[in-house]
Amino acid sequence: MSREDRQLIDSLARGFAILECLSRARRPLGNGEIAALVDLPPSSVSRLTHSLTVLGYIRRSPSQRTYELTPKNLMLGYPVLAGMSLLDRVRPYLKSISEQTGETVTLAVRDGLYSTFAEVVQGVNLVAVRLSTGARLRLANSASGIAMVSALPEKEKHTVTARIRAEITRRGEDLAVFNNSLEECEATGVAIVRNTWQKGIGGVAIAVQAQGELGALTMPVATGSVSAEVMHTTLASTLREAAETISPGYEPQTG
Amino acid sequence: MSREDRQLIDSLARGFAILECLSRARRPLGNGEIAALVDLPPSSVSRLTHSLTVLGYIRRSPSQRTYELTPKNLMLGYPVLAGMSLLDRVRPYLKSISEQTGETVTLAVRDGLYSTFAEVVQGVNLVAVRLSTGARLRLANSASGIAMVSALPEKEKHTVTARIRAEITRRGEDLAVFNNSLEECEATGVAIVRNTWQKGIGGVAIAVQAQGELGALTMPVATGSVSAEVMHTTLASTLREAAETISPGYEPQTG
DNA sequence: AACCTATTTCCGCAGAGCGAAAAAGTAAGA
DNA sequence: TCTTACTTTTTCGCTCTGCGGAAATAGGTT
């Protein structure tokens, strides 16, 4: 966080740094671990975790002396979900596609340079990807991200792709992956990535829009059992059909 | 918030007061509205909303000069949902009960003196209650709350009911409603309330447990079209059957 | 252009929050 | 049981962060 912004309240940022640290962790964390991960002194972390506990956003297991997020955190997401008309429109399709394919099917929405999953219908296939509402990926390397970027109005697309490319460059990653995926999506209407954000996982996604809201109908798949060919053919077709009904007249092919 | 706690970081609490204010609002709010609702000076609110915007948790519509929560808020709920074994176990039942009844079916979990909805399968009935993940009700007057309270271990139940009764008393509400509902739930295993937290809405709920996690399988219903008798008979039976499978050998009747 | 309202920025100031150090808590090993 | 090592919490001196009133700016209406 930049110290140039005199109006940014530092202690608020610190509190959120801790919440975000816990949201990325695979298990509850102790104060010392949090302190190391967010690079703050242990006494400061102790006070911050105490405050977050009093406020109800984290709870502590006294026996383990570790902290984890509470269900209260779901509360802040409620109005986001409740107010999302697109979600109501897309929900039946999430269900039917998942039943038809056995795969996990999701609606993702854009959130700055991230793609956040708003609703997830868990697939019943043995190797269907396990995912939950609130999971978040970078636009840069996720199928949902690329699908949404390709569907932005030209002006905004230009701005957003520039920011994405700057981020990729800053991280020392390969620009060609993003560029190729975006190009292919613009040609076919469907974004497909494999093993970009996690080994063994890929995604097929198509942009959908309703009432001014843009999202991506997405199927995350296990690349070990779902071939690139199936992604490009069967799954892509399934998504195209659904998108055609969800956003009639909306032409996702802008390439 | 109590000023006796010297270790509570005030500006953190202020930030969350604003987020919670926005989570309760039915529409985006301007700075002045927020300032009035959280009882802070407008200049303080301006700086807080600016900070929350930079951190990504709210966004501003420049034309309306109003703020609303972003999808990033879903991120903090992700590990709560992803780590919930009970949810995986209950999910198929949410689906099948909703298909069978046409009603909205949910899994609620306890969160202090609140019941928070972790997953919601939206019903297709014309008057099925609309609800989303993250919705939150008081234990005191919700079916899910009462079901969970009745299933707590004796010692904890005693503590929690005392806190609930103190809250009810402090708010000047009628203790008899809570007492009667809890008593009935302990006798029948199913908690039923009508029009307690919102006119026109009621709930039927039963406690479920798996791997040490306690929750409530819940059906919120429109009281204008679903009679008390149907709640007590058909819906209650449906929930009992499901609970018997979800938590085999777990005896919710402790009365 | 004038007026009104809402919001943001500025800035003096004091106390809120910082972090190092001390104190307390906890677990493991002898 | 005692000792040691490690983790966490609390204390407290200090400074600079965040506060809020006032001034400036922004935006809409007449």
Side-chain angles (χ1 to χ4, degrees):
Chain A
M1 92 206 62
S2 169
R3 279 321 293 134
E4 293 152 24
D5 189 348
R6 304 283 304 278
Q7 293 278 48
L8 176 64
I9 295 173
D10 213 34
S11 49
L12 192 56
R14 285 170 172 221
F16 278 105
I18 288 174
L19 288 177
E20 287 165 21
C21 174
L22 286 171
S23 81
R24 289 188 297 266
R26 302 242 168 176
R27 55 181 177 83
L29 301 175
N31 263 346
E33 293 174 280
I34 295 169
L37 289 167
V38 300
D39 196 26
L40 287 174
S43 61
S44 295
V45 168
S46 189
R47 192 173 175 190
L48 284 159
T49 50
H50 168 77
S51 298
L52 290 169
T53 300
V54 169
L55 293 170
Y57 290 94
I58 64 175
R59 70 188 160 208
R60 176 180 145 135
S61 147
S63 53
Q64 270 88 45
R65 300 204 288 180
T66 53
Y67 294 92
E68 65 187 349
L69 298 166
T70 65
K72 188 172 182 179
N73 289 278
L74 298 170
M75 180 184 74
L76 298 180
Y78 169 72
V80 178
L81 298 175
M84 202 181 285
S85 310
L86 179 63
L87 184 46
D88 292 328
R89 176 135 184 77
V90 168
R91 188 176 278 120
Y93 299 90
L94 299 182
K95 232 157 87 167
S96 64
I97 295 173
S98 185
E99 278 163 9
Q100 179 185 338
T101 61
E103 297 291 346
T104 295
V105 188
T106 74
L107 175 70
V109 291
R110 188 179 144 224
D111 185 18
L113 293 191
Y114 288 88
S115 164
T116 301
F117 294 99
E119 179 134 349
V120 178
V121 174
Q122 184 62 45
V124 294
N125 286 351
L126 273 186
V127 287
V129 175
R130 276 186 46 80
L131 207 51
S132 296
T133 292
R136 207 168 183 238
L137 304 173
R138 287 162 63 205
L139 292 186
N141 60 7
S142 61
S144 57
I146 286 152
M148 287 190 281
V149 168
S150 78
L152 290 172
E154 281 304 325
K155 195 163 177 184
E156 196 180 354
K157 188 199 295 188
H158 190 257
T159 305
V160 173
T161 50
R163 285 173 60 203
I164 290 172
R165 288 185 179 120
E167 184 202 28
I168 289 168
T169 304
R170 200 185 63 242
R171 294 167 75 113
E173 296 165 342
D174 184 5
L175 263 179
V177 177
F178 172 68
N179 290 335
N180 293 341
S181 301
L182 182 61
E183 216 171 286
E184 187 188 340
C185 181
E186 287 176 329
T188 67
V190 177
I192 291 171
V193 300
R194 289 176 67 89
N195 309 304
T196 52
W197 54 271
Q198 186 171 317
K199 192 170 166 75
I201 306 204
V204 193
I206 191 164
V208 288
Q209 185 153 10
Q211 294 163 47
E213 295 175 287
L214 174 67
L217 192 52
T218 311
M219 300 173 68
V221 295
T223 48
S225 62
V226 182
S227 68
E229 191 189 351
V230 170
M231 287 164 90
H232 279 90
T233 53
T234 313
L235 300 187
S237 297
T238 300
L239 291 188
R240 274 195 203 96
E241 277 174 41
E244 197 54 51
T245 318
I246 290 165
S247 327
Y250 171 62
E251 182 54 67
Q253 296 193 16
T254 52
Chain B
M1 90 204 63
S2 168
R3 282 320 293 134
E4 292 152 24
D5 189 347
R6 305 284 303 278
Q7 291 280 46
L8 177 65
I9 295 173
D10 214 32
S11 48
L12 193 53
R14 289 173 168 217
F16 278 104
I18 288 175
L19 287 178
E20 287 165 22
C21 174
L22 285 171
S23 81
R24 289 190 295 270
R26 303 237 170 185
R27 58 183 174 84
L29 299 176
N31 262 348
E33 294 175 278
I34 294 170
L37 288 168
V38 301
D39 196 28
L40 286 174
S43 60
S44 295
V45 168
S46 190
R47 191 172 176 193
L48 284 159
T49 50
H50 168 78
S51 299
L52 291 169
T53 301
V54 169
L55 294 170
Y57 291 94
I58 65 175
R59 72 188 156 206
R60 173 177 147 140
S61 148
S63 52
Q64 271 90 43
R65 300 201 292 178
T66 53
Y67 293 92
E68 64 187 348
L69 298 165
T70 64
K72 188 170 180 180
N73 289 278
L74 297 170
M75 180 183 73
L76 298 180
Y78 169 72
V80 177
L81 298 175
M84 203 182 285
S85 311
L86 180 63
L87 184 46
D88 291 329
R89 177 139 182 75
V90 167
R91 189 176 279 121
Y93 299 91
L94 298 182
K95 232 157 89 168
S96 64
I97 295 173
S98 186
E99 277 162 9
Q100 179 185 336
T101 61
E103 296 290 346
T104 295
V105 188
T106 74
L107 176 70
V109 292
R110 190 180 144 225
D111 186 18
L113 293 190
Y114 289 88
S115 165
T116 300
F117 294 99
E119 181 136 347
V120 178
V121 175
Q122 185 61 46
V124 293
N125 286 351
L126 273 188
V127 287
V129 175
R130 276 186 46 78
L131 208 53
S132 296
T133 292
R136 208 170 179 232
L137 303 173
R138 288 162 61 203
L139 292 184
N141 61 7
S142 61
S144 56
I146 286 154
M148 287 190 282
V149 168
S150 78
L152 290 172
E154 283 305 325
K155 194 166 181 182
E156 198 181 353
K157 188 200 293 191
H158 190 255
T159 304
V160 172
T161 50
R163 285 173 62 201
I164 291 172
R165 290 184 179 123
E167 183 202 30
I168 289 168
T169 303
R170 200 185 63 243
R171 295 168 76 113
E173 295 165 345
D174 185 4
L175 264 179
V177 178
F178 171 68
N179 290 335
N180 293 341
S181 300
L182 182 61
E183 215 172 285
E184 186 187 343
C185 182
E186 287 177 330
T188 67
V190 176
I192 291 170
V193 299
R194 288 176 68 86
N195 309 305
T196 52
W197 53 273
Q198 184 169 317
K199 191 169 170 71
I201 306 204
V204 193
I206 191 165
V208 288
Q209 187 154 10
Q211 293 162 47
E213 294 176 289
L214 174 67
L217 192 52
T218 311
M219 298 172 71
V221 295
T223 48
S225 64
V226 181
S227 69
E229 191 189 351
V230 170
M231 285 163 91
H232 279 92
T233 54
T234 314
L235 301 188
S237 297
T238 301
L239 290 188
R240 276 195 201 93
E241 277 175 43
E244 195 55 49
T245 319
I246 291 166
S247 327
Y250 169 64
E251 183 52 70
Q253 296 193 21
T254 52

